[in-house]
Amino acid sequence: LRVLRSIRFSSRFGFKMSDELIDACRHPQVHKALSHKVSLERIGTEIDLMMHAKNPVLAFRLIDQLELGPIVFSTNESKRLSPEEVKCLLPKSIDCMERAFDIFQEASATEKYFADEMSHDDESAIQQKRILLYSAFLLPFVGAEEVQLSSRRKSRSVEKVDEVTKSVLVYKLKLRLKDAVRAHLLHWTAESFLVQAERIGAKG
C-alpha cells in the first residue's frame, strides 16, 4: 500500500520521486504484494484520495510510469478488462482524463456563474470534478460498443450501467454504485451528443 501512498503524496506536494524509489516501486515483489496482500477496498480508497487531489492527473501518470495500472484497474474476475488491455489503453485514458481536467479548470476560471456555484458548495464541485475525471479516464476502456444508446428516456437502473465502468469502479475499486451510474450517464450523454451532431451534420 505504501507504493500508492508515495504516489499520492508525491503528486499532492509536488515531490519528485528518487530513482531508487521508482525502481523499488517497479519491483515485481512489490507488484505481487500489492496484488495479493492489499485489499481492494484499501487500493480503492487510495485511488479515490488521489482523485480528490488538486491535480489527479499527476498521480495517474505515476501509476502508469510505475507499471501499476494492470494491478490497480484490470478486472480479471469479471473478464471485462484484462491486464494487457489496461497496459495498452492506460496512456490514452490518462490523456482523456487530462483533457477533462483542463476543461474543468478552464470552465471554473472563465465562467462566472460556474465559479460562483462552486464557491457556494466546494464539496459538490469536488464531487463533480471527481466523477467527470473517472468518466473521462474510463472512456477508452468502455469503447463505443459498450455505451448504451437509445432514443428512449435514459434509465438510472443498475442494468443500464456499462459493464466496464461497473467492473472497475464498483467491483475493483469498491466505490459506490452511484458513482458508476453517474460516470456511465456522462458516457451516455457524450455518445448521444455525438450521434445527434452527426445526424445534424448529415442533414446540413
Side-chain angles (χ1 to χ4, degrees), residues 29-122:
Q29 287 186 341
V30 173
H31 287 195
K32 184 177 180 180
L34 182 62
S35 180
H36 294 94
K37 295 183 179 181
V38 181
S39 69
L40 297 179
E41 288 83 0
R42 295 180 75 184
I43 292 175
T45 296
E46 285 298 319
I47 296 299
D48 208 42
L49 286 171
M50 294 177 195
M51 197 62 87
H52 279 81
K54 186 175 181 181
N55 187 350
V57 177
L58 297 178
F60 278 63
R61 293 281 184 205
L62 280 173
I63 289 175
D64 186 28
Q65 180 184 352
L66 299 177
E67 302 172 1
L68 296 168
I71 298 172
V72 174
F73 301 114
S74 64
T75 57
N76 281 341
E77 301 82 1
S78 60
K79 297 181 180 179
R80 293 291 175 184
L81 199 59
S82 70
E84 293 75 19
E85 288 175 306
V86 171
K87 185 176 181 179
C88 178
L89 290 172
L90 190 58
K92 184 176 181 181
S93 288
I94 298 173
D95 287 343
C96 287
M97 180 182 175
E98 184 170 33
R99 184 53 189 144
F101 178 77
D102 290 343
I103 291 171
F104 188 91
Q105 294 293 94
E106 291 167 7
S108 63
T110 59
E111 295 294 332
K112 183 177 185 301
Y113 171 79
F114 189 71
D116 287 345
E117 287 294 304
M118 287 205 306
S119 66
H120 294 157
D121 189 355
D122 288 342

Side-chain angles (χ1 to χ4, degrees), residues 56-190:
V57 177
L58 297 178
F60 278 63
R61 293 281 184 205
L62 280 173
I63 289 175
D64 186 28
Q65 180 184 352
L66 299 177
E67 302 172 1
L68 296 168
I71 298 172
V72 174
F73 301 114
S74 64
T75 57
N76 281 341
E77 301 82 1
S78 60
K79 297 181 180 179
R80 293 291 175 184
L81 199 59
S82 70
E84 293 75 19
E85 288 175 306
V86 171
K87 185 176 181 179
C88 178
L89 290 172
L90 190 58
K92 184 176 181 181
S93 288
I94 298 173
D95 287 343
C96 287
M97 180 182 175
E98 184 170 33
R99 184 53 189 144
F101 178 77
D102 290 343
I103 291 171
F104 188 91
Q105 294 293 94
E106 291 167 7
S108 63
T110 59
E111 295 294 332
K112 183 177 185 301
Y113 171 79
F114 189 71
D116 287 345
E117 287 294 304
M118 287 205 306
S119 66
H120 294 157
D121 189 355
D122 288 342
E123 181 59 29
S124 177
I126 291 171
Q127 292 304 320
Q128 289 170 12
K129 180 183 76 171
R130 172 176 166 271
I131 296 300
L132 172 65
L133 297 185
Y134 272 129
S135 180
F137 173 76
L138 288 170
L139 195 56
F141 294 125
V142 171
E145 70 278 6
E146 293 286 349
V147 180
Q148 301 292 328
L149 293 177
S150 170
S151 58
R152 295 172 295 178
R153 184 177 180 271
K154 296 188 289 290
S155 171
R156 292 179 181 266
S157 66
V158 177
E159 291 76 16
K160 294 298 181 181
V161 179
D162 67 82
E163 290 300 322
V164 170
T165 297
K166 187 163 60 175
S167 292
V168 174
L169 296 188
V170 180
Y171 301 148
K172 185 70 177 185
L173 299 181
K174 300 300 180 181
L175 302 182
R176 298 172 301 175
L177 177 61
K178 181 167 65 174
D179 293 332
V181 172
R182 289 174 174 171
H184 170 74
L185 288 175
L186 284 177
H187 294 158
W188 196 100
T189 302

